Amino acid sequence: MLHSSSMPIPQSQTTHFLKDIMRQPGELKRTLDHFSGAGQGALDAAVTAVRAARRVYLSGIGSSWHAGLNVAALFQVGGRPVYLVDAAELVQFAAIPAGAVLIVISRSGRSVEIVQLLAKARESGAMVIGITNAADGALAREAQIAIVVPVALDHAISVNTYTTLALAAGILADSVTGEGTAFPQGLKPNTGSSSMSDLKVRPPNNARLADSPVGKVVSSEGSTGTSASPTGSVTNLLSRAFAAAENAITGWQAQIETSEWLAPRSTTYFLARGSSLGSAYEARLMWEEGVKAPATAMGAASFRHGPQEIVQKDMRFGIWIDGARMREQDLALARDLRKLGARVMLIGQRLPSDAGDLVFQLPEIASEWQFLIDIIPVQLVAERLARLSGSDPDTFRLCSFVVEDEAGLLPGEKPTR
């Protein structure tokens, strides 16, 4: 599906982008509930497979890659490192060892790189855990374990598909580590059998199910392993954070309407750490897709190793402040940027109201899971800035909704292999 260019959306008109943003807290809550019910079986099998694997890859492309950036931090902090590799790079420039487990994130499951990665995994004898929003996509059909997150697809820019897939992958990561990084009780597995009603398990190429990690989970009676579904307390705590974020949207919009941080045709840098790093990269993509303006994203620490030479008066910076780590250092960074004449937007919990030119206070949520809601105020900024810039965030001039070929940008003759 190729979106054509259109006239700019009038300032008074509600965009599809905004409508997608507004329904996001509800979709996150429904996704959370899904893994305490129908989605539990697939989650259990995925946890067993990842725990048994010697090598685990985490991959995606576009917004799904950004979700992987968020979730990789949960694996790392739990002491279960994964290989985080862009899907295109994994297809073209890596050898996948036999017996590896690939966690592949893709909203449609039909992007050309994902289809190629599925073929490469089959040839390598690797297992694929697919996390997707589309039950009819190649990823859901061909993955040995398919975790399908039911959500209405976004109109154009990935909003709900981005955060719900990040939530699903995050629950998997936290369940695998068993560290309870989210809350005191964590997302630790519960004992007992689980429903396998929506589980789809296939052995990797040239492998028997009984020899695979998942073979120990599936039987005619259902799962013989432990359940990784979120505990009631975790569900309640995350649900409260989603509800609080929904209630905060009106206040965030009021801040945006009067803020001078929003400036069409400005130079914009996004900086973050840890699990919010994916939020920074996702913001950069929204500027490119929706505002139709250049932007860049990187780690806050990396910015201080040379890129700070770019700082000039009236540049725009968006900085995510972690809930627990490096807070004072990043607040000092924001202060210095403002002293140098830049305008700073801050997103985080318990922030001084005067620490930036535009400060978004987030509801209380564990720092490792902050990425689930810290993208929402920036989505609102992107939507508003797009309209201020005379851009239409609801259409793509060049990009198709699903990228199904690898060559060029414009229609025409494709190279032969």
Side-chain angles (χ1 to χ4, degrees):
M1 169 177 155
L2 184 64
H3 295 269
S4 61
S5 179
S6 67
M7 296 296 291
I9 293 177
Q11 292 293 310
S12 59
Q13 183 175 328
T14 300
T15 63
H16 291 287
F17 186 21
L18 181 58
K19 292 176 182 177
D20 286 334
I21 297 168
M22 297 300 286
R23 66 183 174 91
Q24 192 169 199
E27 294 288 8
L28 284 167
K29 174 61 166 62
R30 280 186 286 275
T31 299
L32 188 62
D33 293 342
H34 176 71
F35 288 107
S36 297
Q40 181 179 319
L43 176 63
D44 290 347
V47 170
T48 300
V50 174
R51 284 180 173 170
R54 290 184 58 193
R55 298 180 182 89
V56 179
Y57 291 79
L58 180 61
S59 191
I61 198 162
S63 286
S64 298
W65 164 249
H66 304 157
L69 281 173
N70 293 132
V71 171
L74 287 171
F75 278 107
Q76 309 293 1
V77 77
R80 296 294 296 261
V82 295
Y83 298 98
L84 178 63
V85 187
D86 175 279
E89 299 297 307
L90 191 53
V91 167
Q92 299 295 341
F93 300 102
I96 302 173
V101 168
L102 277 60
I103 303 169
V104 181
I105 306 172
S106 173
R107 60 177 174 177
S108 71
R110 295 192 290 117
S111 298
V112 58
E113 295 86 0
I114 301 303
V115 173
Q116 292 175 350
L117 185 56
L118 287 166
K120 185 166 185 172
R122 285 195 302 271
E123 295 170 358
S124 303
M127 171 176 286
V128 174
I129 298 171
I131 303 178
T132 181
N133 297 118
D136 60 349
L139 181 58
R141 295 196 313 269
E142 298 182 28
Q144 280 76 38
I145 303 174
I147 298 176
V148 180
V149 182
V151 61
L153 295 181
D154 302 299
H155 177 79
I157 294 173
S158 184
V159 176
N160 296 281
T161 52
Y162 165 68
T163 50
T164 59
L165 291 181
L167 173 56
I171 292 173
L172 171 59
D174 204 79
S175 299
V176 166
T177 65
E179 293 296 322
T181 60
F183 302 100
Q185 294 183 356
L187 291 173
K188 296 180 181 179
N190 298 318
T191 57
S193 62
S194 61
S195 168
M196 306 298 287
S197 59
D198 74 340
L199 174 60
K200 182 169 54 167
V201 181
R202 303 186 188 88
N205 191 42
N206 299 324
R208 295 184 300 110
L209 186 62
D211 295 332
S212 72
V214 181
K216 301 175 183 178
V217 179
V218 181
S219 70
S220 59
E221 293 79 27
S223 170
T224 60
T226 60
S227 169
S229 63
T231 65
S233 61
V234 167
T235 299
N236 291 336
L237 288 166
L238 276 178
S239 294
R240 285 201 294 270
F242 299 153
E246 184 172 27
N247 292 334
I249 286 177
T250 300
W252 290 338
Q253 288 178 303
Q255 289 180 258
I256 292 167
E257 287 296 323
T258 60
S259 175
E260 294 183 358
W261 189 91
L262 285 76
R265 295 171 294 280
S266 57
T267 300
T268 309
Y269 273 62
F270 296 108
L271 311 176
R273 298 178 190 264
S275 65
S276 292
L277 191 57
S279 299
Y281 279 82
E282 182 67 7
R284 186 220 75 215
L285 181 58
M286 288 190 295
W287 256 242
E288 294 161 343
E289 288 184 329
V291 184
K292 321 297 193 213
T296 193
M298 66 182 68
S302 296
F303 177 76
R304 298 180 63 256
H305 287 258
Q308 71 265 40
E309 289 297 320
I310 197 69
V311 177
Q312 297 179 21
K313 187 177 185 297
D314 291 330
M315 284 181 63
R316 263 56 180 177
F317 285 84
I319 305 176
W320 282 259
I321 305 298
D322 188 80
R325 297 175 177 87
M326 302 299 288
R327 290 174 59 85
E328 291 306 317
Q329 291 87 341
D330 287 343
L331 288 172
L333 172 61
R335 286 195 299 271
D336 287 348
L337 286 170
R338 296 178 77 192
K339 290 177 182 177
L340 292 168
R343 297 292 185 96
V344 177
M345 171 178 67
L346 295 179
I347 309 98
Q349 303 176 64
R350 306 177 305 280
L351 299 178
S353 59
D354 60 351
D357 299 279
L358 177 58
V359 178
F360 290 114
Q361 298 285 356
L362 297 176
E364 182 178 353
I365 189 170
S367 60
E368 289 86 357
W369 290 89
Q370 182 174 291
F371 65 90
L372 291 172
I373 60 173
D374 68 15
I375 193 62
I376 298 176
V378 184
Q379 291 168 338
L380 294 168
V381 172
E383 191 275 339
R384 177 60 175 152
L385 185 56
R387 289 186 289 121
L388 288 173
S389 303
S391 300
D392 181 359
D394 290 340
T395 64
F396 295 153
R397 296 185 305 110
L398 301 172
C399 185
S400 57
F401 186 74
V402 179
V403 178
E404 297 183 278
D405 64 69
E406 294 180 295
L409 300 176
L410 301 175
E413 183 178 349
K414 303 299 181 185
T416 57
R417 293 184 180 275

PDB file of all heavy atoms in Angstrom, residues 226-247:
ATOM      1  N   THR A 226       6.458 -23.987  33.220  1.00  0.00           N
ATOM      2  CA  THR A 226       5.868 -23.006  34.115  1.00  0.00           C
ATOM      3  C   THR A 226       5.266 -21.867  33.332  1.00  0.00           C
ATOM      4  O   THR A 226       5.614 -21.619  32.187  1.00  0.00           O
ATOM      5  CB  THR A 226       6.944 -22.460  35.072  1.00  0.00           C
ATOM      6  OG1 THR A 226       7.967 -21.852  34.299  1.00  0.00           O
ATOM      7  CG2 THR A 226       7.514 -23.563  35.929  1.00  0.00           C
ATOM      8  N   SER A 227       4.369 -21.164  33.950  1.00  0.00           N
ATOM      9  CA  SER A 227       3.680 -20.065  33.281  1.00  0.00           C
ATOM     10  C   SER A 227       4.442 -18.773  33.456  1.00  0.00           C
ATOM     11  O   SER A 227       4.863 -18.431  34.543  1.00  0.00           O
ATOM     12  CB  SER A 227       2.273 -19.906  33.859  1.00  0.00           C
ATOM     13  OG  SER A 227       1.693 -18.706  33.411  1.00  0.00           O
ATOM     14  N   ALA A 228       4.611 -18.038  32.347  1.00  0.00           N
ATOM     15  CA  ALA A 228       5.329 -16.771  32.385  1.00  0.00           C
ATOM     16  C   ALA A 228       4.395 -15.581  32.301  1.00  0.00           C
ATOM     17  O   ALA A 228       4.834 -14.470  32.093  1.00  0.00           O
ATOM     18  CB  ALA A 228       6.340 -16.718  31.243  1.00  0.00           C
ATOM     19  N   SER A 229       3.116 -15.810  32.421  1.00  0.00           N
ATOM     20  CA  SER A 229       2.177 -14.698  32.300  1.00  0.00           C
ATOM     21  C   SER A 229       2.381 -13.712  33.440  1.00  0.00           C
ATOM     22  O   SER A 229       2.820 -14.092  34.532  1.00  0.00           O
ATOM     23  CB  SER A 229       0.738 -15.216  32.316  1.00  0.00           C
ATOM     24  OG  SER A 229       0.450 -15.833  33.550  1.00  0.00           O
ATOM     25  N   PRO A 230       2.080 -12.437  33.212  1.00  0.00           N
ATOM     26  CA  PRO A 230       2.270 -11.451  34.268  1.00  0.00           C
ATOM     27  C   PRO A 230       1.433 -11.760  35.495  1.00  0.00           C
ATOM     28  O   PRO A 230       0.290 -12.196  35.380  1.00  0.00           O
ATOM     29  CB  PRO A 230       1.809 -10.145  33.609  1.00  0.00           C
ATOM     30  CG  PRO A 230       1.891 -10.399  32.149  1.00  0.00           C
ATOM     31  CD  PRO A 230       1.588 -11.849  31.980  1.00  0.00           C
ATOM     32  N   THR A 231       1.995 -11.559  36.673  1.00  0.00           N
ATOM     33  CA  THR A 231       1.230 -11.756  37.889  1.00  0.00           C
ATOM     34  C   THR A 231       0.176 -10.671  38.015  1.00  0.00           C
ATOM     35  O   THR A 231       0.243  -9.636  37.368  1.00  0.00           O
ATOM     36  CB  THR A 231       2.152 -11.699  39.128  1.00  0.00           C
ATOM     37  OG1 THR A 231       2.686 -10.375  39.220  1.00  0.00           O
ATOM     38  CG2 THR A 231       3.269 -12.716  39.021  1.00  0.00           C
ATOM     39  N   GLY A 232      -0.824 -10.915  38.871  1.00  0.00           N
ATOM     40  CA  GLY A 232      -1.881  -9.933  39.063  1.00  0.00           C
ATOM     41  C   GLY A 232      -1.353  -8.596  39.519  1.00  0.00           C
ATOM     42  O   GLY A 232      -1.804  -7.543  39.065  1.00  0.00           O
ATOM     43  N   SER A 233      -0.352  -8.604  40.415  1.00  0.00           N
ATOM     44  CA  SER A 233       0.180  -7.336  40.917  1.00  0.00           C
ATOM     45  C   SER A 233       0.878  -6.560  39.822  1.00  0.00           C
ATOM     46  O   SER A 233       0.753  -5.334  39.732  1.00  0.00           O
ATOM     47  CB  SER A 233       1.145  -7.603  42.082  1.00  0.00           C
ATOM     48  OG  SER A 233       2.236  -8.401  41.649  1.00  0.00           O
ATOM     49  N   VAL A 234       1.618  -7.272  38.960  1.00  0.00           N
ATOM     50  CA  VAL A 234       2.304  -6.602  37.859  1.00  0.00           C
ATOM     51  C   VAL A 234       1.297  -6.016  36.890  1.00  0.00           C
ATOM     52  O   VAL A 234       1.429  -4.877  36.429  1.00  0.00           O
ATOM     53  CB  VAL A 234       3.247  -7.584  37.139  1.00  0.00           C
ATOM     54  CG1 VAL A 234       3.709  -7.013  35.815  1.00  0.00           C
ATOM     55  CG2 VAL A 234       4.436  -7.906  38.022  1.00  0.00           C
ATOM     56  N   THR A 235       0.264  -6.803  36.571  1.00  0.00           N
ATOM     57  CA  THR A 235      -0.776  -6.317  35.678  1.00  0.00           C
ATOM     58  C   THR A 235      -1.403  -5.046  36.222  1.00  0.00           C
ATOM     59  O   THR A 235      -1.610  -4.070  35.492  1.00  0.00           O
ATOM     60  CB  THR A 235      -1.856  -7.390  35.485  1.00  0.00           C
ATOM     61  OG1 THR A 235      -1.263  -8.556  34.887  1.00  0.00           O
ATOM     62  CG2 THR A 235      -2.967  -6.891  34.577  1.00  0.00           C
ATOM     63  N   ASN A 236      -1.681  -5.031  37.514  1.00  0.00           N
ATOM     64  CA  ASN A 236      -2.304  -3.855  38.129  1.00  0.00           C
ATOM     65  C   ASN A 236      -1.371  -2.645  38.101  1.00  0.00           C
ATOM     66  O   ASN A 236      -1.805  -1.514  37.815  1.00  0.00           O
ATOM     67  CB  ASN A 236      -2.717  -4.170  39.569  1.00  0.00           C
ATOM     68  CG  ASN A 236      -3.862  -5.157  39.639  1.00  0.00           C
ATOM     69  OD1 ASN A 236      -4.635  -5.280  38.686  1.00  0.00           O
ATOM     70  ND2 ASN A 236      -3.980  -5.860  40.749  1.00  0.00           N
ATOM     71  N   LEU A 237      -0.099  -2.864  38.399  1.00  0.00           N
ATOM     72  CA  LEU A 237       0.854  -1.759  38.442  1.00  0.00           C
ATOM     73  C   LEU A 237       1.064  -1.140  37.055  1.00  0.00           C
ATOM     74  O   LEU A 237       1.057   0.079  36.903  1.00  0.00           O
ATOM     75  CB  LEU A 237       2.180  -2.234  39.024  1.00  0.00           C
ATOM     76  CG  LEU A 237       2.164  -2.516  40.531  1.00  0.00           C
ATOM     77  CD1 LEU A 237       3.399  -3.300  40.941  1.00  0.00           C
ATOM     78  CD2 LEU A 237       2.085  -1.217  41.321  1.00  0.00           C
ATOM     79  N   LEU A 238       1.233  -1.990  36.047  1.00  0.00           N
ATOM     80  CA  LEU A 238       1.385  -1.461  34.699  1.00  0.00           C
ATOM     81  C   LEU A 238       0.089  -0.826  34.208  1.00  0.00           C
ATOM     82  O   LEU A 238       0.109   0.222  33.557  1.00  0.00           O
ATOM     83  CB  LEU A 238       1.816  -2.575  33.738  1.00  0.00           C
ATOM     84  CG  LEU A 238       3.305  -2.892  33.659  1.00  0.00           C
ATOM     85  CD1 LEU A 238       3.568  -4.044  32.698  1.00  0.00           C
ATOM     86  CD2 LEU A 238       4.114  -1.680  33.254  1.00  0.00           C
ATOM     87  N   SER A 239      -1.028  -1.444  34.537  1.00  0.00           N
ATOM     88  CA  SER A 239      -2.318  -0.881  34.133  1.00  0.00           C
ATOM     89  C   SER A 239      -2.516   0.507  34.712  1.00  0.00           C
ATOM     90  O   SER A 239      -3.021   1.414  34.035  1.00  0.00           O
ATOM     91  CB  SER A 239      -3.467  -1.794  34.576  1.00  0.00           C
ATOM     92  OG  SER A 239      -3.430  -3.036  33.903  1.00  0.00           O
ATOM     93  N   ARG A 240      -2.125   0.699  35.963  1.00  0.00           N
ATOM     94  CA  ARG A 240      -2.248   2.018  36.582  1.00  0.00           C
ATOM     95  C   ARG A 240      -1.356   3.036  35.871  1.00  0.00           C
ATOM     96  O   ARG A 240      -1.737   4.204  35.698  1.00  0.00           O
ATOM     97  CB  ARG A 240      -1.914   1.941  38.071  1.00  0.00           C
ATOM     98  CG  ARG A 240      -3.005   1.308  38.914  1.00  0.00           C
ATOM     99  CD  ARG A 240      -2.875   1.707  40.380  1.00  0.00           C
ATOM    100  NE  ARG A 240      -1.671   1.171  40.987  1.00  0.00           N
ATOM    101  CZ  ARG A 240      -1.596  -0.014  41.589  1.00  0.00           C
ATOM    102  NH1 ARG A 240      -2.663  -0.804  41.632  1.00  0.00           N
ATOM    103  NH2 ARG A 240      -0.475  -0.413  42.147  1.00  0.00           N
ATOM    104  N   ALA A 241      -0.161   2.610  35.465  1.00  0.00           N
ATOM    105  CA  ALA A 241       0.725   3.526  34.748  1.00  0.00           C
ATOM    106  C   ALA A 241       0.125   3.915  33.397  1.00  0.00           C
ATOM    107  O   ALA A 241       0.199   5.080  32.986  1.00  0.00           O
ATOM    108  CB  ALA A 241       2.094   2.869  34.548  1.00  0.00           C
ATOM    109  N   PHE A 242      -0.488   2.953  32.717  1.00  0.00           N
ATOM    110  CA  PHE A 242      -1.118   3.264  31.430  1.00  0.00           C
ATOM    111  C   PHE A 242      -2.302   4.211  31.618  1.00  0.00           C
ATOM    112  O   PHE A 242      -2.490   5.149  30.828  1.00  0.00           O
ATOM    113  CB  PHE A 242      -1.580   1.986  30.737  1.00  0.00           C
ATOM    114  CG  PHE A 242      -0.472   1.014  30.416  1.00  0.00           C
ATOM    115  CD1 PHE A 242      -0.728  -0.347  30.319  1.00  0.00           C
ATOM    116  CD2 PHE A 242       0.830   1.451  30.215  1.00  0.00           C
ATOM    117  CE1 PHE A 242       0.284  -1.245  30.025  1.00  0.00           C
ATOM    118  CE2 PHE A 242       1.855   0.559  29.932  1.00  0.00           C
ATOM    119  CZ  PHE A 242       1.575  -0.806  29.833  1.00  0.00           C
ATOM    120  N   ALA A 243      -3.100   3.971  32.656  1.00  0.00           N
ATOM    121  CA  ALA A 243      -4.245   4.846  32.924  1.00  0.00           C
ATOM    122  C   ALA A 243      -3.774   6.255  33.282  1.00  0.00           C
ATOM    123  O   ALA A 243      -4.365   7.259  32.851  1.00  0.00           O
ATOM    124  CB  ALA A 243      -5.099   4.262  34.045  1.00  0.00           C
ATOM    125  N   ALA A 244      -2.705   6.343  34.072  1.00  0.00           N
ATOM    126  CA  ALA A 244      -2.186   7.651  34.459  1.00  0.00           C
ATOM    127  C   ALA A 244      -1.636   8.395  33.241  1.00  0.00           C
ATOM    128  O   ALA A 244      -1.794   9.613  33.115  1.00  0.00           O
ATOM    129  CB  ALA A 244      -1.093   7.494  35.513  1.00  0.00           C
ATOM    130  N   ALA A 245      -0.998   7.667  32.325  1.00  0.00           N
ATOM    131  CA  ALA A 245      -0.506   8.295  31.102  1.00  0.00           C
ATOM    132  C   ALA A 245      -1.674   8.815  30.260  1.00  0.00           C
ATOM    133  O   ALA A 245      -1.598   9.906  29.688  1.00  0.00           O
ATOM    134  CB  ALA A 245       0.319   7.293  30.296  1.00  0.00           C
ATOM    135  N   GLU A 246      -2.749   8.053  30.206  1.00  0.00           N
ATOM    136  CA  GLU A 246      -3.928   8.505  29.461  1.00  0.00           C
ATOM    137  C   GLU A 246      -4.491   9.788  30.064  1.00  0.00           C
ATOM    138  O   GLU A 246      -4.858  10.724  29.336  1.00  0.00           O
ATOM    139  CB  GLU A 246      -4.990   7.404  29.469  1.00  0.00           C
ATOM    140  CG  GLU A 246      -6.227   7.734  28.648  1.00  0.00           C
ATOM    141  CD  GLU A 246      -7.161   6.554  28.526  1.00  0.00           C
ATOM    142  OE1 GLU A 246      -7.162   5.688  29.432  1.00  0.00           O
ATOM    143  OE2 GLU A 246      -7.903   6.485  27.529  1.00  0.00           O
ATOM    144  N   ASN A 247      -4.525   9.852  31.387  1.00  0.00           N
ATOM    145  CA  ASN A 247      -5.031  11.058  32.057  1.00  0.00           C
ATOM    146  C   ASN A 247      -4.096  12.250  31.875  1.00  0.00           C
ATOM    147  O   ASN A 247      -4.534  13.403  31.952  1.00  0.00           O
ATOM    148  CB  ASN A 247      -5.224  10.777  33.550  1.00  0.00           C
ATOM    149  CG  ASN A 247      -6.356   9.796  33.812  1.00  0.00           C
ATOM    150  OD1 ASN A 247      -7.290   9.677  33.019  1.00  0.00           O
ATOM    151  ND2 ASN A 247      -6.274   9.081  34.926  1.00  0.00           N
TER     152      ASN A 247
END
